[in-house]
Amino acid sequence: MKYVLFSILALLFVGNSSAQDKYEKTMKKNLAKIDSAKSVEDLIGAANSFERIALAEKDKWLPYYYVSFCYTLANYSAKENSEKDSYLDKADSFLHTADSLEADNSEIYTLRGMISQSRMAVDPMNRWMKYGAEADRFFKKAVELDSLNPRPDYLVGTGLFYTPEQFGGGPKTAKPLLEKALDKFNNFIPENDIAPNWGREMTEQMLEEINKK
């Protein structure tokens, strides 16, 4: 009886381990699609791939997170404001599902702030009051949940970098936050190979541009 029970447990362990390996391998493959994306179509293709993983792995938050991330990135390359908002609506929807599976997660709040920043950028004059305050609130919550996460500082710094000086922004204003973000990136250790680990390259590029000036 003990032998039979041991055999069943061993088979279950091997099966679960194999399924996890397959999941992580597929996630890595799709993360590479984000890194190599050169168009909106590439990003939507990556989003669709992550959505298929999400449908198969309904209890895991990361696939939903990456669908949201892809749509958020796609909005930056969209030409029409209505198209940008459509992508951000989808990003919000999938991130809401991720949050339902993984509450109080710094990375999710960071992406929430990024989406709010993006909505503000669609129509800054009419949206800055609502979405600027919203983004600020989400980034503060992200830092509160994980003070070592470099992405909130990176995104706040990015927002300041592209804000005109007459409105309190500009490269010089952004520099301290970007330097703080880079310092965190230098010490940041992702939880695993498929955990969020983006933003460092852009932080370095902006600092390089600032220092040249």
Side-chain angles (χ1 to χ4, degrees):
M1 182 65 181
K2 288 183 179 180
Y3 176 78
V4 173
L5 181 60
F6 176 80
S7 298
I8 293 172
L9 291 174
L11 287 171
L12 287 173
F13 176 79
V14 171
N16 289 337
S17 178
S18 177
Q20 181 66 19
D21 288 345
K22 182 179 179 181
Y23 163 71
E24 291 186 3
K25 184 178 180 180
T26 307
M27 287 288 287
K28 288 179 184 179
K29 180 180 178 181
N30 285 308
L31 286 172
K33 290 182 181 180
I34 298 178
D35 292 336
S36 63
K38 296 180 180 179
S39 66
V40 171
E41 290 74 20
D42 290 340
L43 289 167
I44 300 307
N48 290 336
S49 295
F50 279 114
E51 185 175 358
R52 285 192 290 271
I53 299 173
L55 292 173
E57 304 283 350
K58 291 181 169 53
D59 61 334
K60 292 182 171 61
W61 68 275
L62 270 175
Y64 293 99
Y65 167 92
Y66 282 120
V67 177
S68 177
F69 183 57
C70 287
Y71 279 119
T72 305
L73 294 179
N75 112 87
Y76 296 132
S77 299
K79 296 179 180 180
E80 301 295 330
N81 286 350
S82 59
E83 188 180 11
K84 292 176 183 287
D85 277 330
S86 176
Y87 288 144
L88 294 172
D89 287 343
K90 290 179 180 180
D92 260 333
S93 177
F94 282 99
L95 195 61
H96 177 76
T97 303
D99 183 61
S100 71
L101 295 169
E102 183 78 8
D104 293 330
N105 181 287
S106 177
E107 298 292 357
I108 290 176
Y109 272 94
T110 298
L111 188 49
R112 278 182 168 180
M114 188 178 182
I115 293 170
S116 296
Q117 272 187 336
S118 300
R119 288 197 184 278
M120 180 175 64
V122 172
D123 186 2
M125 292 300 293
N126 293 308
R127 294 187 177 185
W128 70 269
M129 185 174 291
K130 176 181 178 180
Y131 290 111
E134 190 175 88
D136 183 61
R137 185 171 72 253
F138 288 146
F139 289 139
K140 285 181 178 177
K141 181 65 175 179
V143 172
E144 178 186 318
L145 290 168
D146 183 3
S147 61
L148 301 179
N149 184 352
R151 275 163 285 284
D153 293 315
Y154 152 64
L155 289 168
V156 175
T158 300
L160 288 171
F161 184 88
Y162 291 107
T163 299
E165 291 183 11
Q166 61 265 38
F167 294 112
K172 290 182 179 179
T173 306
K175 185 177 180 180
L177 272 167
L178 293 171
E179 289 177 333
K180 183 179 180 182
L182 184 58
D183 183 61
K184 289 185 179 182
F185 275 117
N186 289 335
N187 294 285
F188 182 75
I189 301 175
E191 185 176 337
N192 52 54
D193 290 341
I194 60 175
N197 193 26
W198 49 269
R200 182 189 181 104
E201 184 176 350
M202 283 300 299
T203 301
E204 292 175 336
Q205 289 178 8
M206 283 187 286
L207 283 171
E208 184 178 352
E209 185 174 338
I210 292 170
N211 291 329
K212 282 181 180 179
K213 296 178 181 180

